[in-house]
Protein backbone atom coordinates (compact mmCIF):
# COMPACT_ATOMS: atom_id res chain seq x y z
CA UNK A 1 0.00 0.00 0.00
CA UNK A 2 1.26 3.48 -0.79
CA UNK A 3 1.90 5.89 2.06
CA UNK A 4 -0.59 8.63 2.92
CA UNK A 5 1.58 11.31 1.30
CA UNK A 6 1.86 9.20 -1.87
CA UNK A 7 -1.92 8.71 -2.03
CA UNK A 8 -2.47 12.48 -1.79
CA UNK A 9 -0.18 13.37 -4.70
CA UNK A 10 -1.22 12.33 -8.22
CA UNK A 11 2.39 12.47 -9.42
CA UNK A 12 3.72 10.43 -6.50
CA UNK A 13 0.89 7.92 -6.86
CA UNK A 14 1.61 7.50 -10.58
CA UNK A 15 5.31 7.01 -9.81
CA UNK A 16 4.45 4.42 -7.13
CA UNK A 17 2.14 2.50 -9.50
CA UNK A 18 4.91 2.44 -12.11
CA UNK A 19 7.66 1.47 -9.63
CA UNK A 20 5.58 -1.32 -8.08
CA UNK A 21 4.62 -2.62 -11.54
CA UNK A 22 0.92 -2.57 -10.70
CA UNK A 23 -1.15 -4.05 -13.56
CA UNK A 24 -4.74 -3.49 -12.31
CA UNK A 25 -5.71 -0.77 -9.87
CA UNK A 26 -8.89 0.73 -8.37
CA UNK A 27 -8.92 4.41 -7.47
CA UNK A 28 -11.91 6.48 -6.38
CA UNK A 29 -12.95 9.08 -8.94
CA UNK A 30 -11.36 11.92 -6.95
CA UNK A 31 -7.95 10.26 -7.42
CA UNK A 32 -8.50 8.71 -10.85
CA UNK A 33 -9.36 11.99 -12.59
CA UNK A 34 -6.08 13.79 -11.79
CA UNK A 35 -4.08 10.60 -12.48
CA UNK A 36 -5.56 10.51 -16.00
CA UNK A 37 -4.23 13.99 -16.79
CA UNK A 38 -0.60 13.04 -16.16
CA UNK A 39 1.97 11.86 -18.66
CA UNK A 40 2.63 8.13 -18.25
CA UNK A 41 5.83 6.34 -19.20
CA UNK A 42 5.45 3.84 -22.04
CA UNK A 43 6.97 1.11 -19.85
CA UNK A 44 4.19 1.20 -17.25
CA UNK A 45 2.72 -2.22 -16.46
CA UNK A 46 -0.69 -0.70 -15.61
CA UNK A 47 -3.23 -2.12 -18.06
CA UNK A 48 -6.55 -1.38 -16.31
CA UNK A 49 -7.52 1.47 -14.00
CA UNK A 50 -10.90 0.93 -12.36
CA UNK A 51 -12.72 3.85 -10.84
CA UNK A 52 -16.08 4.53 -9.25
CA UNK A 53 -18.06 5.94 -6.31
CA UNK A 54 -18.69 9.32 -7.98
CA UNK A 55 -19.71 10.60 -11.41
CA UNK A 56 -16.74 10.68 -13.78
CA UNK A 57 -16.42 14.25 -15.07
CA UNK A 58 -13.17 13.84 -16.98
CA UNK A 59 -12.48 11.27 -19.63
CA UNK A 60 -9.21 9.59 -20.50
CA UNK A 61 -6.96 10.71 -23.30
CA UNK A 62 -6.31 8.19 -26.06
CA UNK A 63 -2.61 8.58 -25.17
CA UNK A 64 -2.97 6.73 -21.86
CA UNK A 65 -1.23 3.35 -21.92
CA UNK A 66 -4.06 1.70 -19.94
CA UNK A 67 -7.83 1.25 -20.13
CA UNK A 68 -10.08 3.15 -17.74
CA UNK A 69 -13.13 1.23 -16.52
CA UNK A 70 -15.84 3.26 -14.80
CA UNK A 71 -17.66 1.25 -12.09
CA UNK A 72 -20.26 3.94 -11.44
CA UNK A 73 -23.74 2.85 -10.35
CA UNK A 74 -26.69 4.34 -8.48
CA UNK A 75 -25.95 2.38 -5.29
CA UNK A 76 -23.14 0.27 -3.95
CA UNK A 77 -25.58 -2.66 -3.74
CA UNK A 78 -25.75 -2.86 -7.52
CA UNK A 79 -22.22 -4.18 -7.60
CA UNK A 80 -20.91 -3.86 -11.12
CA UNK A 81 -24.24 -3.33 -12.87
CA UNK A 82 -23.05 -0.25 -14.78
CA UNK A 83 -19.51 -1.44 -15.44
CA UNK A 84 -18.24 -0.03 -18.68
CA UNK A 85 -15.08 1.01 -20.46
CA UNK A 86 -14.67 4.79 -20.69
CA UNK A 87 -13.47 6.04 -24.04
CA UNK A 88 -12.13 9.44 -25.04
Amino acid sequence: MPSESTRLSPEMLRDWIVAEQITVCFLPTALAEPIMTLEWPAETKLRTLLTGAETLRQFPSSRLPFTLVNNYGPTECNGRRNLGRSCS
Side-chain angles (χ1 to χ4, degrees):
M1 293 291 292
S3 68
E4 182 72 18
S5 60
T6 297
R7 289 192 307 261
L8 295 175
S9 165
E11 293 84 2
M12 289 175 64
L13 186 55
R14 178 214 40 215
D15 294 347
W16 182 85
I17 290 169
V18 170
E20 294 295 320
Q21 299 183 9
I22 305 296
T23 58
V24 177
C25 178
F26 176 86
L27 294 175
T29 305
L31 289 174
E33 287 182 331
I35 285 280
M36 292 185 308
T37 67
L38 300 175
E39 294 294 323
W40 283 77
E43 69 274 4
T44 185
K45 302 291 185 196
L46 185 63
R47 294 294 162 242
T48 305
L49 174 60
L50 302 146
T51 190
E54 298 174 36
T55 302
L56 190 64
R57 290 178 169 70
Q58 244 180 319
F59 296 94
S61 161
S62 60
R63 299 173 308 174
L64 289 177
F66 53 83
T67 299
L68 176 74
V69 177
N70 187 13
N71 292 313
Y72 181 75
T75 66
E76 295 301 322
C77 296
N78 277 336
R80 300 297 175 252
R81 180 176 158 214
N82 292 333
L83 180 69
R85 183 175 175 194
S86 295
C87 300
S88 55

